[in-house]
């Protein structure tokens, strides 16, 4: 832990001194919860009745008995995931906005099936633009015989040097500031061109990470670790994705689970920790944490993260997650975008989203 | 009983969640609304929730970011004013108010995700992994957002700038 982090902790604590909940917070929480529970039960009951009625009339199949309801007015397809990526990538003003489900790429608009097991309470489609960036995260994992991750290294960069002091010899490991969990090592080093690479590693000693720094080069702007992964017997490795200036995000949640899908330049191992298990999901690796959390890549450049409630199997649910049409009835409650949403207010910091006027 | 333990959770976590919500929104009224909304969702989901604190942090963070994004398009209703702060009768109320204003104004310069990372990591004391889970992103994203947020805050809150120190002195 660094002194600036300690000072920040103290400042945040001081800023909330005296902020205590009202005396009736418990009553309001309980009363509000009961009201919402009643509404929830009414809605679920009504939906069941409607679904059953529709099934009787032959409009929709029940319990996964088909590919879902027919779309009466087909929606135009969302933007292609490959648009504006790679060589076509152009820097855009930094901006974040809520969008409609129809504006998401089809590969990102994923959902579990309408089989009654998992409900949909909230949906949040969003888009963020910014400078062209990519190839920024490369994960490598070594596992035991049961697929449990024993060693994990995630390499970030190249990026402007903000950890390594100017004048430091290329390849010299410099500890990055921060309070890491036990066993983890976070180092940064410079490449010969002055850019910085950084590694967050667990299960490696210093000499092994020095070998990593010596082995790392850039090929077409993307990190190449040469023979280091094989020398370290790391069975699993991600691949860098093309640079992008537009990122899409899609969060769906309900009482029985939540699903988060994002376009990312990284891989699933960046979401892993030592102790997680790498499992097979339809022929692709996925990272399983505990009994309820799974991360996988349904498409290149897309990372999905699923958390399910007790009693549900995340692998089983994830296997059924797939693209849904933008007019899926369960998405009806998604907040519509407001008019006038244009990227007209770039901020001075290319990593920022607009700040509300105070 | 369907919601056994809910009352104890609310009693034990309300102050912490309210303060986190305040730092996320910068407005006591919004923070109370946010926490109330989280409690209502939690009440419905209670029998199926194995880790209420994690659920609450996840809901709080996502709805704070969501609300912030929505409000960012409506400057008239912008968050981060002190109109909803209650009168503080303590002797050092002026100092506290000033310090609060400085910190909240600094947080205001961060993006929604950077602000969430700062609050979850340095106020709620969540680990990087738990912060990532609450925000629905990777540990790598938490790390990069933390780095950017701290870099920005160092320029606004000189008191937290330790970049002039040697690496040994920082630790």
């Amino acid at each position: 832990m660094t002194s600036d982090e300690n000072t920040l902790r103290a400042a945040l604590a001081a800023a909330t001194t005296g902020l205590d909940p009202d005396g009736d917070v418990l009553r309001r929480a309980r009363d509000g919860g009961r009201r919402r529970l009643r509404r929830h039960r009414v809605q679920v009951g009504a939906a069941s009745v409607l679904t059953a009625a529709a099934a009787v009339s032959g409009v929709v199949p029940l319990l996964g008995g088909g590919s879902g309801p027919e779309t009466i007015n087909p929606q135009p397809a969302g933007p292609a995931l490959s648009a504006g990526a790679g060589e076509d990538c152009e820097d855009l003003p930094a901006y974040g906005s809520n969008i409609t489900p129809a504006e998401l790429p089809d590969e990102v608009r994923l959902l579990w099936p309408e089989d009654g097991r998992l409900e949909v309470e909230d949906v949040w489609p969003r888009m963020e633009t910014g400078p062209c960036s990519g190839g920024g995260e490369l994960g490598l994992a070594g596992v035991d015989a049961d697929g449990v991750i024993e060693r994990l290294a995630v390499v970030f960069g190249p990026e402007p040097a903000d950890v390594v002091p100017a004048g430091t010899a290329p390849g010299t490991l410099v500890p990055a500031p921060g309070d890491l969990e036990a066993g983890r090592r976070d180092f940064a080093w410079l490449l010969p061109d002055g850019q910085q690479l950084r590694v967050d590693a667990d299960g490696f000693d210093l000499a092994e990470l020095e070998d990593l720094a010596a082995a790392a080069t850039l090929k077409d702007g993307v990190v190449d670790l040469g023979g280091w992964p094989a020398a370290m017997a790391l069975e699993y490795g991600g691949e860098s994705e093309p640079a992008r200036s537009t990122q899409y995000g899609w969060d769906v949640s309900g009482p029985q689970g939540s699903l988060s899908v994002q376009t990312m330049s990284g891989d699933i191992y960046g979401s892993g920790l030592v102790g997680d298990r790498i499992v097979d999901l339809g022929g692709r690796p996925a990272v399983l944490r505990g009994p309820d959390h799974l991360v996988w890549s349904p498409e290149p450049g897309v990372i999905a993260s699923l958390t399910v409630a007790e009693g549900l199997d995340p692998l089983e649910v994830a296997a059924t997650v797939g693209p849904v049409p933008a007019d899926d009835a369960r998405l009806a409650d998604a907040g519509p975008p407001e008019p006038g949403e244009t990227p007209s207010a770039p901020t001075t910091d290319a990593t920022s989203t607009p700040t509300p006027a105070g | 009983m369907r919601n056994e333990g809910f009352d104890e959770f609310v009693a034990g976590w309300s102050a912490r969640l309210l303060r986190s919500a305040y730092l996320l929104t910068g407005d006591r009224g919004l923070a109370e609304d946010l926490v109330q909304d989280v409690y209502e969702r939690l009440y419905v989901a209670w029998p199926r929730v194995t880790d209420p604190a994690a659920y609450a942090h996840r809901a709080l963070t996502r709805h704070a970011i969501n609300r912030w994004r929505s409000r960012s398009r409506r400057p008239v209703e912008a968050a981060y004013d002190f109109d909803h702060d209650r009168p503080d009768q303590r002797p050092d109320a002026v100092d506290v108010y000033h310090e609060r204003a400085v910190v909240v104004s600094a947080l205001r310069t961060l993006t929604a995700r950077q602000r969430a990372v700062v609050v979850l990591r340095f106020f709620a004391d969540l680990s990087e992994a738990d912060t990532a889970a609450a925000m629905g992103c990777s540990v790598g994203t938490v790390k990069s957002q933390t780095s950017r947020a701290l870099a920005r805050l160092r320029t606004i809150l000189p008191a937290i700038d330790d970049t002039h120190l040697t690496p040994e002195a920082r630790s």
Side-chain angles (χ1 to χ4, degrees), chain A residues 4 9 122 262 338 341, chain B residues 41 73-74 125 136 160:
Chain A
D4 60 346
R9 287 178 204 275
D122 294 313
Q262 298 179 51
E338 298 180 11
E341 179 75 27
Chain B
R41 292 172 189 277
R73 296 193 298 274
R74 295 194 295 270
D125 275 334
I160 72 162

Side-chain angles (χ1 to χ4, degrees), chain A residues 125-207:
Chain A
R126 65 188 186 280
M127 180 184 77
E128 294 186 18
T129 58
C132 222
S133 62
E137 187 176 318
L138 180 62
L140 302 126
V143 300
D144 68 10
D146 294 324
V148 176
I149 298 176
E150 293 179 309
R151 305 212 289 179
L152 188 68
V154 184
V155 179
F156 304 96
E159 59 191 10
D162 64 351
V163 172
V164 184
T168 304
T172 303
L173 294 184
V174 174
D179 51 342
L180 290 176
E181 282 85 27
R184 287 172 61 182
R185 294 169 177 267
D186 189 351
F187 289 104
W189 69 96
L190 293 182
L191 293 164
D193 66 359
Q195 293 190 92
Q196 173 182 287
L197 292 181
R198 191 165 168 175
V199 63
D200 180 353
D202 197 344
F204 296 90
D205 61 32
L206 186 58

Side-chain angles (χ1 to χ4, degrees), chain B residues 16-82:
Chain B
R16 194 167 164 183
L17 290 174
L18 176 66
R19 292 171 183 180
S20 291
Y22 178 79
L23 292 173
L24 288 167
T25 64
D27 180 286
R28 175 166 183 142
L30 289 179
E32 288 181 340
D33 288 350
L34 205 55
V35 173
Q36 172 71 10
D37 187 63
V38 168
Y39 281 151
E40 292 180 11
R41 292 172 189 277
L42 183 58
Y43 189 92
V44 174
W46 187 260
R48 294 180 285 260
V49 172
T50 54
D51 186 344
Y55 179 100
H57 277 116
R58 188 167 62 239
L60 196 66
T61 304
R62 295 189 182 187
H63 287 282
I65 293 175
N66 197 15
R67 181 178 295 225
W68 184 87
R69 286 178 190 282
S70 299
R71 295 175 73 85
S72 71
R73 296 193 298 274
R74 295 194 295 270
V76 174
E77 294 180 295
Y80 279 93
D81 60 52
F82 296 94

Side-chain angles (χ1 to χ4, degrees), chain A residues 15-356:
Chain A
T16 57
T17 299
L19 275 174
D20 294 312
D22 287 341
D24 67 344
V25 62
L26 179 56
R27 180 193 59 76
R28 284 190 290 112
R30 202 188 296 132
D31 291 352
R34 285 172 180 157
R35 278 196 302 275
R36 186 172 291 220
L37 183 61
R38 280 197 293 273
R39 287 200 304 271
H40 174 76
R41 283 173 171 160
V42 168
Q43 287 167 354
V44 170
S48 300
V49 170
L50 286 172
T51 305
V56 168
S57 64
V59 176
V60 295
L62 264 179
L63 299 174
S67 58
E70 290 290 325
T71 303
I72 297 173
N73 296 308
Q75 305 253 344
L81 199 57
S82 58
E87 294 180 354
D88 295 333
C89 185
E90 290 181 319
D91 287 350
L92 294 173
Y95 203 85
S97 59
N98 293 329
I99 58 177
T100 66
E103 292 172 298
L104 281 173
D106 294 341
E107 299 94 326
V108 177
R109 197 191 318 108
L110 308 182
L111 191 56
W112 47 71
E114 192 172 7
D115 59 8
R117 287 191 304 167
L118 287 88
E119 301 157 50
V120 175
E121 194 171 72
D122 294 313
V123 298
W124 178 22
R126 65 188 186 280
M127 180 184 77
E128 294 186 18
T129 58
C132 222
S133 62
E137 187 176 318
L138 180 62
L140 302 126
V143 300
D144 68 10
D146 294 324
V148 176
I149 298 176
E150 293 179 309
R151 305 212 289 179
L152 188 68
V154 184
V155 179
F156 304 96
E159 59 191 10
D162 64 351
V163 172
V164 184
T168 304
T172 303
L173 294 184
V174 174
D179 51 342
L180 290 176
E181 282 85 27
R184 287 172 61 182
R185 294 169 177 267
D186 189 351
F187 289 104
W189 69 96
L190 293 182
L191 293 164
D193 66 359
Q195 293 190 92
Q196 173 182 287
L197 292 181
R198 191 165 168 175
V199 63
D200 180 353
D202 197 344
F204 296 90
D205 61 32
L206 186 58
E208 291 171 329
L209 296 180
E210 287 173 340
D211 289 343
L212 164 65
T217 58
L218 293 185
K219 284 188 178 173
D220 298 326
V222 175
V223 175
D224 182 347
L225 300 180
W228 188 79
M232 293 293 109
L234 301 174
E235 296 92 335
Y236 294 93
E239 293 183 8
S240 290
E241 292 295 326
R244 296 180 190 283
S245 56
T246 302
Q247 308 283 346
Y248 293 95
W250 171 239
D251 288 324
V252 184
S253 62
Q256 300 89 6
S258 62
L259 173 69
S260 179
V261 187
Q262 298 179 51
T263 53
M264 292 177 69
S265 61
D267 52 62
I268 60 171
Y269 309 109
S271 301
L273 292 173
V274 165
D276 292 346
R277 184 188 300 270
I278 295 183
V279 295
D280 179 83
L281 178 65
R284 298 177 188 175
V287 175
L288 178 66
R289 177 172 305 156
D292 61 354
H293 185 70
L294 187 76
V295 178
W296 77 103
S297 177
E299 295 285 342
V302 179
I303 303 288
S305 169
L306 175 73
T307 302
V308 295
E310 192 174 2
L312 290 170
D313 179 354
L315 265 170
E316 189 185 329
V317 174
T320 65
V321 167
V324 292
D327 61 352
D328 185 293
R330 293 170 293 170
L331 311 183
D333 290 336
E338 298 180 11
E341 179 75 27
T342 56
S344 57
T347 58
T348 53
D349 179 348
T351 64
S352 298
T353 48
T355 303

Side-chain angles (χ1 to χ4, degrees), chain B residues 66-123:
Chain B
N66 197 15
R67 181 178 295 225
W68 184 87
R69 286 178 190 282
S70 299
R71 295 175 73 85
S72 71
R73 296 193 298 274
R74 295 194 295 270
V76 174
E77 294 180 295
Y80 279 93
D81 60 52
F82 296 94
D83 291 348
H84 293 128
D85 278 0
R86 308 266 164 81
D88 191 334
Q89 305 300 334
R90 289 171 300 162
D92 61 346
V94 173
D95 290 341
V96 170
Y97 186 88
H98 175 70
E99 186 157 14
R100 183 177 298 172
V102 169
V103 171
V104 166
S105 295
L107 290 175
R108 177 187 156 189
T109 67
L110 303 179
T111 68
R113 283 184 173 268
Q114 288 169 359
R115 189 185 310 153
V117 158
V118 166
V119 173
L120 294 176
R121 294 280 289 121
F122 302 115
F123 181 74

